[in-house]
Amino acid sequence: MRVRNKICRSIPWLALFLVSGCEPAARRVVTAPPTTTIAPAEPPAAPAAPAPLVDVEQNAGGFTINERVDVTDQVRADYEAARRSLEAAQYEPGIASLLKITQQAPALTAAHIDLGIAYARAGDLDHAEASLQKALESNPRHPVAYNELGLVQRRKGEFAKARASYEAALAQFPDFHYAHRNLAILCDLYLGDYKCALEHYEAYSRLVPNDSDVGKWIADLRKRSKKQEER
């Protein structure tokens, strides 16, 4: 069976996993909004060579992550129910369901990621970080897991770790626009690294040219950089 996480370049206001907290200067740190679906189990096939841990397919809308994981129909149904709970901001039952799912299907990376996001939404950053680390133990090349981990680490004040996580996400998928934006904000507002911030604001702007806010941030950053150089 296949788990598919589609990362879109637009920011649809449809699901829970869209925007983390607002940052100073109206900058938002955004989470990737994976629309994760679990396809019906496929018929048994002849043994084949192991598939890559994460298969990333680039497309016009961003990229799609494919994973193949064997789960029961009950786990699939429970997972979809848990996602509906989280979308309704019902974190306690959603977390309880996802905990059960991660025990029954520990290789289902999407469940660990969703559990980490749910814990973060509930304000439990330690458990959020642990769940996202579990996701990376399962799939150490998963860009969404790295991006979500960076968000949690930033909220915990672990800025160097957050930077490393965002950079790891970009190492897996260089056009991951959310990771560019989040890293730019981190470098700008928390690390004071204007060169890093400008690089990633501009990368994000190239990938999402219709975001008018980022143009203002780039102009503001250039002004501040110039003043710093003139001191």
Side-chain angles (χ1 to χ4, degrees):
M1 161 301 257
R2 180 168 292 173
V3 176
R4 175 163 291 191
N5 299 340
K6 188 171 183 181
I7 311 304
C8 302
R9 284 211 172 111
S10 61
I11 306 179
W13 296 91
L14 296 177
L16 166 70
F17 316 111
L18 299 184
V19 181
S20 186
C22 291
E23 289 286 2
R27 288 166 173 76
R28 288 185 174 185
V29 175
V30 289
T31 110
T35 53
T36 305
T37 58
I38 304 181
E42 299 176 356
L53 288 173
V54 175
D55 177 21
V56 181
E57 298 175 2
Q58 188 166 6
N59 50 55
F63 63 89
T64 300
I65 296 175
N66 293 308
E67 303 171 59
R68 189 174 298 277
V69 184
D70 292 326
V71 299
T72 65
D73 290 342
Q74 186 61 55
V75 168
R76 186 182 305 111
D78 289 345
Y79 178 74
E80 295 302 331
R83 287 294 299 269
R84 288 193 295 271
S85 293
L86 299 183
E87 288 166 5
Q90 297 173 350
Y91 301 124
E92 187 173 344
I95 287 170
S97 296
L98 286 167
L99 280 170
K100 180 180 177 182
I101 292 163
T102 56
Q103 292 170 357
Q104 294 174 335
L108 185 55
T109 308
H112 290 288
I113 294 174
D114 288 342
L115 180 57
I117 294 171
Y119 274 131
R121 289 280 176 157
D124 189 343
L125 299 182
D126 288 338
H127 279 102
E129 184 171 14
S131 295
L132 293 165
Q133 293 286 10
K134 279 285 187 182
L136 288 168
E137 289 174 13
S138 174
N139 274 321
R141 293 174 49 222
H142 205 301
V144 175
Y146 280 116
N147 183 64
E148 298 298 334
L149 181 60
L151 291 171
V152 170
Q153 291 166 331
R154 192 273 305 165
R155 289 177 62 188
K156 293 179 71 174
E158 298 173 347
F159 302 140
K161 289 182 178 180
R163 180 173 186 164
S165 294
Y166 293 142
E167 289 173 344
L170 291 168
Q172 300 306 320
F173 191 75
D175 286 346
F176 193 175
H177 57 299
Y178 289 103
H180 279 296
R181 178 170 166 155
N182 292 338
L183 178 54
I185 292 170
L186 178 76
C187 288
D188 184 4
L189 302 182
Y190 296 91
L191 297 176
D193 186 339
Y194 291 168
K195 181 180 178 181
C196 162
L198 184 60
E199 175 188 351
H200 292 284
Y201 279 140
E202 290 179 338
Y204 173 79
S205 184
R206 287 192 298 271
L207 294 165
V208 190
N210 295 327
D211 188 336
S212 59
D213 288 336
V214 74
K216 299 173 186 176
W217 300 347
I218 290 172
D220 174 65
L221 178 59
R222 285 175 174 159
K223 287 181 183 178
R224 286 184 281 125
S225 297
K226 186 176 180 180
K227 287 182 180 179
Q228 189 179 61
E229 291 172 358
E230 291 173 349
R231 288 176 184 173

